[in-house]
Amino acid sequence: MRRIASFLLLLSLLLTLTGCGQSAATGNTQDPVPEPSEETPPTPEPYTILDPTVQPEGGERDGVAYAAYNGVVEHLFFHPVVAYPELAFDGDNQANGIDDYMVTADEYKKILQSVYDKGYILVDINSVWSEVTGEDGQAHMVKNTLYLPEGKKPLVLSFDDTNYYEYMLSNGFTWKLILGDDGKIASWGKDPEGNEVVSRDLDAIPILDKFVEEHPDFSPFGAKGCLSLTGYEGILGYRTQTDTKSWTQAQEENRQKEITAVKPIIAELKRTGWTFGSHTWGHIRLGSKSLETIQADTERWFDEVGSLVGPTTILFYPHGERPDGNDWQNTGPVFRYLQSQGFRVFCSVGIESFSYIKKDICAVICDRLHPDGTTLRYSRDRYLKFYDAKDIMDTAVRPQRDIGWA
């Protein structure tokens, strides 16, 4: 009986030591390593967003004089920037298209520096126009007076297709936005060797965040840019979309994980001066699709994108294609439908920062200029007010194609 008790005592001791991850033979009685606890995210730095339509008290803020501005508000838009030119311009069937429609991260940084040096400051597109109700009880849009630091010029930036499409992942772009260890927006992706890279220097969004940190007078109101989102491959690098062809429980579970993961990114973008607009769910042509198709697409955008980023009054036309053929002179059924869904500012693409307040409906149409490979090559003179393409274009990394000013 005594032998049995001794055996059980020894067995109990061995099991206890093994459960603590120690070797009974070495007699190591060190305390077990506790399970790692979830790190508390860093407290975000305060970020102030001000209204440029309100004149500072006494016409001054932080020792800077402010004055009323009623001139043109310039508008530049970018597609995602090329992080790795050696992957983007590798001679495959995507290379020339990327060359036409994108700038590299280094070119983008030089453009930001140039517009800053030329006296431009960032304003939010939502601050430029307002909806008001007239004496007749009808709603219409008005252009706002902006109160800017004396001598400065307003600039709106927008960024189309900030979705991180699948084709981009192997063609030299970053893969998604994340929160870095410091709690700030960063990009995540893989370099040409396949190594994971977290950076604030390879993607248009964190590059602008960083530039504003280094040049706070570039954004005296806290504005950054407006992100123009589709929905058919998710948003911001997260696959939040549904699949029209098939759907399984596993796909839905993964989608819900992606939705959970993107929400803190959206919240931090909003907190730090970024806003959102629709680029339609499927990047569809508003000038040629049927009204029924456009209605279904719009409802899907609200369901899958608007439900995450919140309401918006900004619509960016895919391909720059205007609904009903001519949204300036006509107000057709497609335009009326889109306006009825809450859109008020309708953005196309053009050769100047044109805008027009429509008289027969509460809406504004406007054009944006497009810094990209095409305009760097062939439209140098038109963009000199912002930058000189000769100083910006990196001909060493781009395909050897014609250049209009060379």
Side-chain angles (χ1 to χ4, degrees), residues 77 160 317 319-320 322 347-351 366-370:
F77 95 91
D160 283 10
Y317 296 158
H319 314 283
R322 302 175 186 278
C347 303
S348 187
V349 180
I351 60 173
C366 60
D367 281 358
R368 309 174 286 163
L369 289 156
H370 51 110

Side-chain angles (χ1 to χ4, degrees), residues 225-237:
C226 189
L227 304 181
S228 168
L229 299 173
T230 62
Y232 67 94
E233 286 191 1
I235 61 171
L236 307 176

Side-chain angles (χ1 to χ4, degrees), residues 164 169 174-178 186-189 203 236-238 258 261:
Y164 303 79
L169 308 189
T174 58
W175 291 32
K176 64 168 64 177
L177 295 179
I178 64 168
S187 66
W188 182 93
D203 186 282
L236 307 176
Y238 297 82
E258 295 284 273

Side-chain angles (χ1 to χ4, degrees), residues 175-247:
W175 291 32
K176 64 168 64 177
L177 295 179
I178 64 168
L179 294 179
D181 292 339
D182 57 2
K184 296 178 180 179
I185 296 291
S187 66
W188 182 93
K190 293 186 178 181
D191 67 15
E193 288 71 44
N195 303 306
E196 295 185 11
V197 178
V198 174
S199 176
R200 299 184 74 212
D201 292 304
L202 296 172
D203 186 282
I205 294 167
I207 287 172
L208 182 55
D209 281 341
K210 192 173 175 181
F211 190 87
V212 169
E213 289 169 16
E214 295 166 354
H215 307 83
D217 56 332
F218 185 45
S219 184
F221 309 107
K224 298 287 180 54
C226 189
L227 304 181
S228 168
L229 299 173
T230 62
Y232 67 94
E233 286 191 1
I235 61 171
L236 307 176
Y238 297 82
R239 301 311 176 208
T240 55
Q241 78 278 12
T242 55
D243 191 314
T244 54
K245 295 178 181 177
S246 65
W247 200 244

Side-chain angles (χ1 to χ4, degrees), residues 108-118 211 215 386:
Y108 173 69
K109 292 173 188 176
K110 289 188 282 187
I111 290 172
L112 291 181
Q113 186 65 54
S114 181
V115 294
Y116 172 75
D117 292 342
K118 289 180 180 294
F211 190 87
H215 307 83
F386 306 110

Side-chain angles (χ1 to χ4, degrees), residues 29-301:
T29 59
Q30 187 177 355
D31 291 338
V33 178
E35 288 291 320
S37 59
E38 234 178 80
E39 287 186 18
T40 304
T43 303
E45 297 174 6
Y47 196 87
T48 302
I49 297 177
L50 301 171
D51 184 352
T53 67
V54 177
Q55 185 174 25
E57 189 174 345
E60 232 180 62
R61 181 182 293 126
D62 299 328
V64 177
Y66 280 65
Y69 181 91
N70 289 293
V72 173
V73 178
E74 299 288 358
H75 190 164
L76 301 178
F77 95 91
F78 297 86
H79 286 106
V81 301
V82 173
Y84 301 105
E86 61 270 45
L87 294 180
F89 307 127
D90 58 358
D92 68 6
N93 61 0
Q94 298 282 358
N96 284 349
I98 294 171
D99 180 55
D100 285 340
Y101 300 120
M102 277 72 166
V103 297
T104 68
D106 287 341
E107 290 168 341
Y108 173 69
K109 292 173 188 176
K110 289 188 282 187
I111 290 172
L112 291 181
Q113 186 65 54
S114 181
V115 294
Y116 172 75
D117 292 342
K118 289 180 180 294
Y120 288 97
I121 59 170
L122 298 180
V123 295
D124 178 10
I125 190 172
N126 296 280
S127 301
V128 180
W129 300 277
S130 291
E131 179 176 342
V132 299
T133 302
E135 293 180 359
D136 59 358
Q138 298 299 308
H140 61 277
M141 300 297 288
V142 295
K143 189 169 184 288
N144 296 323
T145 295
L146 303 177
Y147 294 92
L148 309 179
E150 284 187 351
K152 297 297 184 180
K153 300 169 287 188
L155 174 65
V156 168
L157 295 181
S158 55
F159 299 82
D160 283 10
D161 302 294
T162 46
N163 300 79
Y164 303 79
Y165 299 131
E166 290 287 348
Y167 88 87
M168 292 180 171
L169 308 189
S170 60
N171 277 287
F173 297 87
T174 58
W175 291 32
K176 64 168 64 177
L177 295 179
I178 64 168
L179 294 179
D181 292 339
D182 57 2
K184 296 178 180 179
I185 296 291
S187 66
W188 182 93
K190 293 186 178 181
D191 67 15
E193 288 71 44
N195 303 306
E196 295 185 11
V197 178
V198 174
S199 176
R200 299 184 74 212
D201 292 304
L202 296 172
D203 186 282
I205 294 167
I207 287 172
L208 182 55
D209 281 341
K210 192 173 175 181
F211 190 87
V212 169
E213 289 169 16
E214 295 166 354
H215 307 83
D217 56 332
F218 185 45
S219 184
F221 309 107
K224 298 287 180 54
C226 189
L227 304 181
S228 168
L229 299 173
T230 62
Y232 67 94
E233 286 191 1
I235 61 171
L236 307 176
Y238 297 82
R239 301 311 176 208
T240 55
Q241 78 278 12
T242 55
D243 191 314
T244 54
K245 295 178 181 177
S246 65
W247 200 244
T248 65
Q249 183 62 32
Q251 286 174 304
E252 180 59 26
E253 288 173 1
N254 184 68
R255 175 174 178 260
Q256 291 304 321
K257 288 178 183 177
E258 295 284 273
I259 288 172
T260 299
V262 79
K263 284 182 176 180
I265 313 301
I266 295 168
E268 181 62 10
L269 288 167
K270 285 183 169 184
R271 190 187 74 84
T272 54
W274 294 91
T275 59
F276 297 92
S278 172
H279 203 33
T280 76
W281 184 87
H283 204 270
I284 62 173
R285 293 185 176 275
L286 296 174
S288 54
K289 293 293 184 181
S290 68
L291 177 60
E292 292 74 18
T293 297
I294 291 168
Q295 288 172 331
D297 178 276
T298 303
E299 289 171 10
R300 196 163 188 186
W301 191 91

